[in-house]
């Protein structure tokens, strides 16, 4: 949730930290701070607000000159966003930045209070800073080891000790932390984009491994303090991927990147016209043998799983149970060693999804992760991994990650259906070819940008909105609804179109717009009837369907027409106008599209 960085090298550390933090602002943006060694003292600047405010404050206070320091951008968990709750925490001797939650912080705080420590902030992090001080014995590694023995929860920590200038210590458990390796410089960071401008080489850290960055190089120690060698990873994301590239917002850029992202994700997994997911160990024999498939995820990733359910069940004829990870992990789910549990996550760090995955493994199920970030915790924990190749997704509202996730579900469904003998090889090749045509089709849909902007202008003053659809359109409309509400702050819900008249239709008035998605032609007439019912009660209907189908005025006020591909694949096409409508509604309402209020990109707390 929070973003942490650290830099040691020859450059102006303050400048590098601010630059790196700006790349991590998607992880949290309610306050920010840095701590830098200046003439062997630790100098701290922190403030409520964004990185730009932090920069102003630093300049106002005369700047900080140094070559080694740590930084933080916060998403508040304990204590409101304020100057005093901002990181770094500590004192003149020890300074720390933290991402995660220390679950037993109250107990530690009470203990430290009995030892005379006085607390300023409401944060859990301050207890770690003071516990480090309590255990400090002149040996940072030993001190950190002692503290790790006491704290419970999740953490990625960057630590400075005044007695060891120009050194950064860092450690992680269940919160991401990587070590960037440049020429004569090194970094710690929550995510690759933080240092991508300087290097694409990095080490992954495992639980309770401690890294020390010094002028002698980078040393990594295991939890017992023994030095270890790590494999150097190379990120294939380039710097442009983490920049806006001329777009007003990352979200718009990422919507437009979908054709390329889908292509990059599916192309390597199609051999001789057939889907082939064997790279991850998922053979056709294995696929055909599962009794049930579970899809467990959060938010948009869970919505991708809903599309996966409809597709797998419709052609693969295996029951698919979709669950939100925060429910699944606490409901003692009936998962056995005959089942496949698929977890889906853009970041690969979502705490609930990670725990659901661990639980599924304990229950003996095979686990497959569909993940965007290479080497992330979820990718490392799962038995099998399929990486989506969306590149970095910076906007908090997920768009291209959704499209590539459902693209993988299509490949999986086609292969599974073929493996089970539910579809012929010819049909499997036909469907796969249809999937390969999606990127080109999306280029056409993206040209409807102006129409979507116009439709958004009709929604801008709405306070409530409904999305309706049937079958795959219902699964898709859930994503449309989430997208709109998270960035426009208009209350919105998604309903199975046939369910509306069982209560919700009483909300319909001329101030309640309805977005009806009707791409499934076997269900088309039924959705049209539901749209008419809404119109008859004064509701304004925006109708999303195939462009060749005309609808009368008693069905819709506005229509968005889509190019036609196989109905099974239409969610891949129809999601684009829903994303664009959400985007433009947010822009027109003057919101901060990429950093909507109260949210953060990567949810590493429960
Ligand atoms: O990184 P993940 O895919 O695991 O994240 C899951 C959700 O937090 C995420 O999809 C969230 O719902 C997005 N803000 C939606 O746009």
């Amino acid at each position: 949730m929070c973003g942490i960085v650290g830099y040691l090298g020859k450059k102006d550390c303050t400048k590098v930290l601010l630059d790196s933090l700006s790349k991590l602002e998607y992880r949290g943006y309610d306050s920010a701070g840095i701590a830098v060694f200046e003439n062997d003292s630790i100098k701290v600047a922190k403030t409520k607000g964004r990185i730009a405010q932090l920069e102003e404050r630093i300049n106002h206070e005369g700047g900080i000159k140094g070559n080694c320091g740590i930084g933080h951008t916060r998403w508040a968990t304990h204590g409101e966003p304020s100057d005093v709750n901002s990181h770094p925490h500590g004192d003149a001797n020890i300074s720390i930045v933290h991402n995660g939650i220390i679950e037993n912080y109250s107990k530690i705080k009470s203990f430290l209070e009995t030892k005379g420590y006085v607390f300023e902030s409401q944060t859990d992090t301050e207890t770690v800073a003071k516990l480090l001080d309590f255990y400090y014995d002149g040996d940072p590694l030993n001190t950190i080891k002692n503290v790790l023995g006491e704290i419970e929860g999740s953490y990625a920590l960057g630590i400075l000790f005044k007695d060891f200038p120009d050194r950064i210590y860092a450690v992680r458990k269940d919160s991401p932390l990587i070590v960037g390796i440049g020429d004569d410089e090194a970094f710690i960071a929550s995510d690759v984009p933080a240092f991508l401008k300087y290097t694409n080489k990095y080490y992954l850290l495992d639980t309770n491994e401690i890294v020390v960055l010094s002028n002698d190089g980078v040393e990594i120690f295991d939890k017992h303090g023994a030095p270890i060698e790590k494999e150097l990873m190379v990120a294939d994301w380039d710097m442009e991927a983490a920049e806006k590239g001329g777009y007003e917002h990352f979200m718009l850029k990422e919507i437009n990147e979908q054709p390329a992202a889908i292509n990059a994700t599916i192309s390597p997994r199609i051999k001789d016209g057939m889907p082939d997911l064997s790279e991850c160990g998922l053979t056709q024999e294995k696929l055909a043998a599962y009794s049930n498939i579970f899809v467990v995820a959060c938010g948009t990733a869970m919505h991708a799983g809903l599309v996966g359910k409809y597709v797998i069940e419709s052609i693969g004829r295996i029951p698919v149970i979709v669950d939100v990870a925060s429910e699944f992990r606490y409901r003692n789910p009936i998962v056995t060693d005959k089942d496949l549990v698929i977890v889906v996550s853009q970041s690969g760090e979502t705490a609930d999804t990670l725990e659901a995955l661990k639980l599924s493994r304990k229950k003996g199920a095979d686990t497959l992760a569909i993940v965007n970030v290479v080497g992330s915790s979820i990718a490392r924990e799962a038995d099998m991994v399929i990486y989506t190749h969306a590149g970095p997704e910076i906007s908090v509202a997920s768009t291209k990650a959704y499209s590539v996730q459902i693209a993988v579900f299509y490949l999986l469904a086609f292969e599974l259906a073929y493996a089970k003998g539910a579809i012929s090889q010819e049909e499997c090749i036909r469907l796969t070819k249809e999937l390969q045509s999606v990127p080109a089709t999306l280029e056409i849909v993206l040209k409807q940008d102006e129409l979507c902007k116009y439709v958004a202008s009709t929604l801008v003053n709405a306070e409530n909105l409904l999305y309706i659809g049937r079958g795959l359109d219902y699964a898709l409309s859930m994503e449309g609804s989430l997208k709109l509400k998270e960035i426009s702050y208009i209350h919105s819900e998604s309903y199975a179109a046939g369910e509306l008249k069982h209560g919700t239709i009483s909300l319909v008035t001329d101030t309640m717009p309805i977005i009806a998605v009707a791409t499934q032609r076997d269900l088309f007439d039924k959705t049209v009837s539901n749209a008419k019912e809404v119109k008859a009660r004064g509701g304004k209907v925006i109708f999303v369907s195939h462009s060749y189908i005309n609808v009368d005025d008693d069905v819709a006020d506005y229509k968005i027409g889509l190019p036609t591909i196989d109905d099974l694949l239409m969610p891949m096409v129809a999601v684009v106008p829903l994303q664009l409508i959400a985007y433009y509604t947010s822009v027109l309402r003057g919101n901060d599209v990429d950093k909507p209020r109260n949210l953060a990109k990567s949810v590493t707390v429960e």
Side-chain angles (χ1 to χ4, degrees):
M1 311 286 296
C2 304
I4 73 174
V5 294
Y7 174 75
L8 172 68
K10 297 194 166 39
K11 298 190 174 85
D12 175 347
C13 178
T14 300
K15 223 169 140 206
V16 176
L17 290 178
L18 290 172
D19 179 46
S20 299
L21 283 176
S22 71
K23 303 289 185 307
L24 292 186
E25 243 188 335
Y26 69 88
R27 303 180 64 86
Y29 32 83
D30 58 48
S31 49
I34 61 170
V36 174
F37 280 111
E38 189 180 66
N39 302 324
D40 293 352
S41 306
I42 300 174
K43 197 162 168 194
V44 173
K46 56 185 192 171
T47 181
K48 179 182 169 185
R50 303 265 168 107
I51 309 298
Q53 280 159 270
L54 175 64
E55 190 168 4
E56 262 171 42
R57 173 163 291 196
I58 294 169
N59 291 338
H60 182 72
E61 289 170 359
I64 308 180
K65 298 255 165 307
N67 303 103
C68 175
I70 52 179
H72 189 268
T73 177
R74 180 170 185 249
W75 186 85
T77 57
H78 295 62
E80 58 172 11
S82 67
D83 288 0
V84 73
N85 286 334
S86 311
H87 298 215
H89 287 281
D91 56 19
N93 296 319
I94 294 175
S95 190
I96 71 166
V97 288
H98 168 221
N99 171 28
I101 288 186
I102 305 302
E103 286 164 2
N104 60 339
Y105 86 102
S106 305
K107 207 171 123 205
I108 297 171
K109 188 172 175 181
S110 306
F111 165 74
L112 290 169
E113 279 168 342
T114 66
K115 301 288 172 196
Y117 284 92
V118 177
F119 288 80
E120 292 181 334
S121 76
Q122 289 106 48
T123 64
D124 51 339
T125 306
E126 196 184 357
T127 57
V128 182
K130 295 214 166 14
L131 196 62
L132 281 161
D133 183 74
F134 175 75
Y135 275 116
Y136 186 62
D137 58 2
D139 176 351
L141 276 182
N142 200 40
T143 305
I144 293 169
K145 268 194 289 161
N146 284 331
V147 167
L148 297 186
E150 299 288 332
I151 57 176
E152 290 165 15
S154 60
Y155 45 82
L157 295 165
I159 311 167
L160 303 181
F161 292 89
K162 181 181 176 291
D163 293 347
F164 294 84
D166 294 339
R167 274 175 190 239
I168 299 173
Y169 292 82
V171 64
R172 74 172 280 264
K173 176 179 165 268
D174 297 339
S175 287
L177 190 69
I178 53 179
V179 184
I181 305 296
D183 293 334
D184 287 332
E185 59 187 0
F187 304 78
I188 58 164
S190 303
D191 199 358
V192 171
F195 53 66
L196 205 50
K197 184 169 165 185
Y198 310 98
T199 181
N200 62 351
K201 299 187 186 66
Y202 63 100
Y203 293 122
L204 295 168
L205 289 182
D206 285 317
T207 292
N208 286 348
E209 287 175 352
I210 303 172
V211 63
V212 186
L213 273 51
S214 74
N215 289 323
D216 299 330
V218 169
E219 291 171 288
I220 303 178
F221 301 90
D222 71 12
K223 57 183 171 203
H224 307 295
I228 45 172
E229 296 285 323
K230 303 286 286 187
E231 183 194 348
L232 192 63
M233 315 283 291
V234 181
D236 59 4
W237 296 349
D238 56 19
M239 211 186 86
E240 287 75 46
E243 305 283 347
K244 280 191 204 147
Y247 287 92
E248 201 182 335
H249 297 101
F250 278 111
M251 183 176 176
L252 188 58
K253 176 182 178 234
E254 288 160 6
I255 290 172
N256 278 278
E257 283 172 345
Q258 290 179 111
I262 294 165
N263 201 20
T265 300
I266 62 173
S267 295
R269 285 142 183 160
I270 297 172
K271 311 258 157 67
D272 301 325
M274 292 283 284
D276 181 353
L277 299 171
S278 56
E279 69 178 49
C280 69
L282 200 54
T283 58
Q284 291 191 357
E285 295 68 39
K286 254 185 168 180
L287 264 174
Y290 291 118
S291 305
N292 297 294
I293 295 178
F294 290 79
V295 182
V296 188
C298 302
T300 289
M302 190 273 291
H303 292 157
L306 285 173
V307 171
K309 171 186 168 74
Y310 275 91
V311 179
I312 294 169
E313 288 189 343
S314 118
I315 59 169
R317 310 308 298 160
I318 286 189
V320 180
I321 300 107
V322 181
D323 214 340
V324 288
S326 53
E327 287 298 310
F328 178 90
R329 61 182 286 202
Y330 290 117
R331 72 170 169 84
N332 193 10
I334 306 166
V335 174
T336 74
D337 58 4
K338 296 188 174 48
D339 299 329
L340 172 67
V341 176
I342 304 176
V343 291
V344 189
S345 177
Q346 187 283 129
S347 63
E349 300 294 345
T350 302
D352 284 319
T353 309
L354 180 60
E355 289 310 313
L357 167 61
K358 289 180 184 165
L359 175 71
S360 305
R361 290 194 67 186
K362 252 193 226 148
K363 286 179 175 282
D366 278 358
T367 56
L368 166 67
I370 300 175
V371 176
N372 197 42
V373 177
V374 176
S376 54
S377 302
I378 290 173
R380 286 195 272 168
E381 184 72 29
D383 300 314
M384 299 171 278
V385 187
I386 297 177
Y387 283 113
T388 51
H389 298 305
E393 190 180 65
I394 309 287
S395 174
V396 166
S398 186
T399 53
K400 60 178 178 172
Y402 174 82
S403 292
V404 292
Q405 286 159 357
I406 60 176
V408 170
F409 273 113
Y410 281 108
L411 288 176
L412 191 79
F414 300 162
E415 186 158 31
L416 188 150
Y418 174 66
K420 282 187 69 92
I423 58 170
S424 65
Q425 186 170 22
E426 291 68 46
E427 178 63 355
C428 192
I429 289 174
R430 186 190 72 77
L431 287 168
T432 307
K433 204 164 167 202
E434 197 76 350
L435 179 63
Q436 286 175 294
S437 76
V438 166
T441 309
L442 291 199
E443 298 290 3
I444 300 168
V445 184
L446 285 164
K447 296 205 172 89
Q448 302 208 2
D449 189 75
E450 281 302 318
L451 174 59
C452 294
K453 196 172 182 175
Y454 174 71
V455 168
S457 73
T458 71
L459 304 178
V460 110
N461 295 317
E463 285 177 8
N464 299 287
L465 204 130
L466 289 178
Y467 285 73
I468 58 170
R470 287 171 178 262
L472 273 166
D473 291 329
Y474 173 44
L476 176 65
S477 69
M478 290 200 194
E479 174 56 10
S481 172
L482 174 65
K483 212 83 309 166
L484 185 94
K485 79 178 114 186
E486 75 172 322
I487 57 171
S488 74
Y489 316 145
I490 297 173
H491 169 239
S492 132
E493 289 182 62
S494 164
Y495 271 87
E499 184 65 11
L500 210 57
K501 59 173 98 48
H502 296 284
T504 310
I505 202 165
S506 68
L507 294 174
V508 172
T509 66
D510 59 1
T511 62
M512 166 80 96
I514 279 97
I515 299 187
V517 187
T519 68
Q520 302 301 298
R521 280 168 287 189
D522 55 338
L523 298 167
F524 181 78
D525 291 342
K526 296 186 190 306
T527 308
V528 165
S529 300
N530 300 133
K532 278 185 180 170
E533 288 155 12
V534 166
K535 281 285 290 170
R537 283 153 185 87
K540 296 266 172 301
V541 175
I542 294 147
F543 202 76
V544 181
S545 188
H546 299 263
S547 53
Y548 77 90
I549 298 178
N550 291 319
V551 285
D552 297 333
D553 291 351
D554 63 344
V555 176
D557 295 88
Y558 309 103
K559 183 184 161 205
I560 295 180
L562 303 169
T564 295
I565 58 170
D566 193 290
D567 280 7
L568 197 65
L569 287 146
M570 280 305 283
M572 297 219 67
V573 178
V575 71
V576 173
L578 302 191
Q579 294 166 339
L580 287 170
I581 289 170
Y583 170 74
Y584 282 115
T585 308
S586 175
V587 171
L588 293 171
R589 284 168 71 101
N591 296 346
D592 190 343
V593 178
D594 288 332
K595 300 187 188 91
R597 70 182 178 210
N598 304 339
L599 291 173
K601 181 78 182 157
S602 179
V603 186
T604 53
V605 295
E606 286 196 42

